[in-house]
Amino acid sequence: MSGRQEYSPDRGDWICAGCCKPLELKKMQIMYLENAFDVTLPQCPCCGRVFVPKSLAEGRMAEVESLLEDK
Amino acid sequence: MIAVSSAPSPEILARTLSLCPKCLRRIPAFYTPGNAAGEVLLHKTCPEHGVFRTPVWSGEPDFLSWYTRKPLLPLYSRGHEGRGCPYECGLCREHRQNSCCVLLEITQNCDLNCPLCFASAGGEHQDPSLDELGGLLEGIAAQAGKPILQLSGGEPATRNDLPDIIRLAKKKGFPFIQLNTNGLRLGAEEHYADALAEAGLSVVYLQFDALKESSLLAIRGRNCLEVKRAAVRAALDACLPVVLVATVVPGVNDGELGELLNLALAGGSGVRGLHLQPAAYFGRYPEELSARRMTLAELMRSLAEQSAGLIDAADFRPNSGEHELCAFSALYSRTPEGGLKLLRSKKSCCAPDGRRDAENERPRDGAEQCKAFTTLNWRHPREIAEAAGQDDFGRILAESGLDLRFTVSAMAFQDVLSLDLDRLQQCCVHVADKKGALVPFCAYNMTGLDGQALYRDVRGTGLRS
């Protein structure tokens, strides 16, 4: 898949609230209702928690959620 | 808050509040069976002006099977200083739904001057400046976040700076902009649709009531069929999605629903839906047309009967954001054979038996679901195809058949005879008034029997009781 697959935070430098480590962009696969999405998202290198930027959560991700749950 | 109780007696199906159509004072009202099978009337008595009864439902689906919503919780803290609902809109502590769609009337001028016009538009008016509109847009965003924005009027295309207004709205952060238009300029002026598309318009909400000359003359005052067809072509050529919007007047164009559906389907996948609005009698209208009303139930059945099997009346469900007596919709996928396949929304507001699952519905969900339904399904197939190359989310959108989706929907507006404050307080379609307050659409356009307006500063026609 070409095009934008990397989703940095919309603004600022983020650290993990639990581990106090700066988030790092990591390639990963996320699953939703049997669909796989290859993306690069900010992740805590220590605990592995992933940060989904607001623009993605309220934009394309919300659209896909709405669409998949409509089917 | 208005509470709707379950039937306390065989004659009273539900209670609410309404207005006296003559003096506009707030009075109790209730729904009660009418004489015909399945008919339901809104019954109200003014101590000064007597009894008023208006049909609001008729036949299948049964009124009480459709109308099951329990009251939602209040969302706003703004109180009243005087007479309260519905005299002091803005969104207030009585209101129980957020804004899904906000109308911004950018002009009161119009180039069509229809016999039927909720806004009583026409004459010569000074349009608000771009600066004034910018202030109103900021006010809308502050109150309602990022609702769907509908540029309305009057006829918005009478303003030469319409593309600038669209750009301004985009700049202010409104992601989805509808143009509520009669299509005259769109169909007549070369490259006008391109200019609107380039400015960032999302969808053309195109007034398209009928194909018969007699119907167009009755509703619009002139035979504008060819220019409206040209408007559809121009919009689609400019990659602007189109939704056909028909005002349905009983005895005039209620026999053309099947033809309108066929026209929408024949327009190709850029025509995203057909939206029907049974005529309500506020603003300006010919008095002789107001004698009969078309209920949502009748509209569902008429659509099904005229659709040559494409649509079943049971396809329709209440909308998430609006009160059940205000709207219905169904979502379809176009088939290669030119038919429609029903897509049932799992995320909809309906329990498995088709009834609303109000207890599990969070207050904010309804307007958000309505917004998602519109912004997802009313986009141009080319935009969907382009998204496929952007990321996996876009690819899923494109591969899911989103481009083939088609919506059939309706909204029943309330006039002073049918007004139910419970419906008004669950409204998610709001008009930004001149001071920027968000007023439910039907309150904003309400006129009494004598034509006195509740909010607008123009008089309407007036209505026989």
Side-chain angles (χ1 to χ4, degrees):
Chain A
M1 171 58 55
S2 61
R4 184 177 178 231
Q5 298 283 295
E6 186 175 301
Y7 298 94
S8 305
D10 296 319
R11 66 178 74 168
D13 297 320
W14 289 73
I15 59 169
C16 174
C19 311
C20 293
K21 298 281 187 191
L23 303 189
E24 298 172 3
L25 286 171
K26 292 279 184 192
K27 284 187 180 175
M28 64 190 72
Q29 190 172 71
I30 56 178
M31 299 289 295
Y32 185 70
L33 290 178
E34 299 171 5
N35 289 271
F37 302 86
D38 291 319
V39 290
T40 300
L41 286 168
Q43 185 178 37
C44 174
C46 189
C47 67
R49 280 191 165 178
V50 174
F51 175 81
V52 178
K54 187 168 185 272
S55 59
L56 176 63
E58 292 183 350
R60 277 283 157 73
M61 197 175 264
E63 288 178 353
V64 167
E65 178 193 350
S66 175
L67 180 121
L68 293 177
E69 293 195 0
D70 273 350
K71 283 174 77 178
Chain B
M1 182 166 31
I2 309 301
V4 177
S5 61
S6 56
S9 81
E11 292 300 313
I12 298 180
L13 303 173
R15 294 180 187 277
T16 185
L17 292 173
S18 185
L19 296 182
C20 169
K22 286 193 174 170
C23 62
L24 299 182
R25 79 166 72 170
R26 191 171 51 226
I27 53 175
F30 58 85
Y31 292 102
T32 186
N35 291 329
E39 184 185 44
V40 175
L41 309 174
L42 183 68
H43 180 116
K44 52 189 175 182
T45 307
C46 172
E48 190 177 345
H49 297 107
V51 175
F52 300 88
R53 292 192 301 173
T54 308
V56 291
W57 202 258
S58 50
E60 294 294 325
D62 174 69
F63 179 78
L64 287 179
S65 75
W66 182 269
Y67 181 33
T68 58
R69 173 177 267 188
K70 295 172 185 172
L72 297 170
L73 296 172
L75 292 166
Y76 302 90
S77 57
R78 177 180 164 269
H80 300 134
E81 293 172 358
R83 299 171 70 197
C85 181
Y87 310 104
E88 294 180 71
C89 296
L91 302 180
C92 70
R93 64 187 178 203
E94 311 280 11
H95 206 78
R96 286 164 281 131
Q97 190 55 274
N98 292 305
S99 303
C100 161
C101 178
V102 173
L103 278 71
L104 180 62
E105 297 190 341
I106 63 171
T107 183
Q108 296 305 317
N109 297 316
C110 186
D111 50 0
L112 195 50
N113 200 30
C114 305
L116 200 73
C117 178
F118 63 78
S120 301
E124 285 196 16
H125 302 267
Q126 180 76 37
D127 291 335
S129 68
L130 271 182
D131 278 351
E132 287 169 321
L133 291 176
L136 287 169
L137 287 166
E138 286 169 12
I140 293 169
Q143 295 172 84
K146 294 176 182 172
I148 293 164
L149 181 71
Q150 184 176 106
L151 300 178
S152 187
E155 169 52 45
T158 58
R159 285 189 69 143
N160 287 328
D161 60 355
L162 179 57
D164 296 327
I165 295 169
I166 294 167
R167 273 188 282 272
L168 179 66
K170 294 294 276 191
K171 196 176 159 190
K172 299 285 184 192
F174 291 89
F176 196 88
I177 303 172
Q178 300 177 351
L179 177 65
N180 183 357
T181 181
N182 60 30
L184 296 192
R185 186 166 183 178
L186 202 55
E189 187 174 313
E190 206 174 350
H191 303 309
Y192 186 60
D194 297 313
L196 300 180
E198 205 171 290
L201 183 65
S202 305
V203 64
V204 178
Y205 194 74
L206 180 65
Q207 175 200 87
F208 206 124
D209 311 290
L211 291 93
K212 285 183 185 158
E213 181 176 0
S214 57
S215 305
L216 287 165
L217 287 174
I219 302 172
R220 299 297 160 204
R222 59 181 269 200
N223 184 0
C224 43
L225 178 61
E226 286 315 310
V227 72
K228 289 194 181 258
R229 285 185 188 275
V232 175
R233 286 193 299 271
L236 297 181
D237 286 348
C239 285
L240 281 172
V242 174
V243 173
L244 300 184
V245 184
T247 299
V248 183
V249 185
V252 178
N253 63 338
D254 56 337
E256 297 182 59
L257 306 179
E259 289 171 76
L260 287 168
L261 178 66
N262 290 337
L263 180 83
L265 292 175
S269 56
V271 180
R272 306 302 289 165
L274 175 65
H275 184 71
L276 304 171
Q277 299 171 339
Y281 298 100
F282 44 31
R284 182 174 65 228
Y285 50 86
E287 197 172 316
E288 66 274 13
L289 294 186
S290 66
R292 243 199 87 211
R293 285 165 185 273
M294 185 168 225
T295 69
L296 283 184
E298 188 181 357
L299 186 59
M300 289 179 220
R301 298 195 305 274
S302 297
L303 253 171
E305 285 162 12
Q306 296 176 38
S307 74
L310 290 174
I311 284 177
D312 188 320
D315 294 349
F316 297 114
R317 293 286 180 267
N319 288 0
S320 309
E322 289 99 359
H323 191 283
E324 292 144 314
L325 300 182
C326 292
F328 67 73
S329 63
L331 179 63
Y332 299 92
S333 180
R334 293 168 182 260
T335 67
E337 299 78 29
L340 291 174
K341 178 187 168 207
L342 180 67
L343 301 173
R344 183 75 72 204
S345 174
K346 285 181 192 170
K347 202 184 173 185
S348 81
C349 41
C350 304
D353 63 355
R355 291 186 172 209
R356 295 185 76 97
D357 191 9
E359 275 185 280
N360 295 322
E361 190 175 343
R362 287 176 293 142
R364 286 186 185 277
D365 283 354
E368 287 301 318
Q369 285 181 36
C370 269
K371 261 163 57 178
F373 183 90
T374 300
T375 57
L376 192 64
N377 296 313
W378 288 1
R379 65 178 63 176
H380 197 278
R382 180 187 283 188
E383 187 190 337
I384 297 163
E386 285 172 356
Q390 292 169 1
D391 56 22
D392 274 353
F393 297 104
R395 177 179 57 78
I396 294 282
L397 290 177
E399 289 176 355
S400 66
L402 181 59
D403 55 331
L404 297 174
R405 286 186 169 193
F406 183 81
T407 67
V408 179
S409 52
M411 183 166 284
F413 297 125
Q414 303 174 82
D415 55 38
V416 76
L417 289 172
S418 61
L419 178 67
D420 167 352
L421 292 194
D422 189 50
R423 289 173 62 181
L424 203 64
Q425 292 166 1
Q426 289 185 30
C427 176
C428 68
V429 179
H430 303 143
V431 183
D433 75 6
K434 287 175 181 172
K435 293 179 180 170
L438 300 183
V439 182
F441 180 89
C442 293
Y444 192 73
N445 291 298
M446 187 65 54
T447 48
L449 285 183
D450 63 353
Q452 178 191 348
L454 201 58
Y455 280 93
R456 286 188 184 277
D457 52 11
V458 290
R459 288 185 74 84
T461 301
L463 191 61
R464 289 174 298 185
S465 59

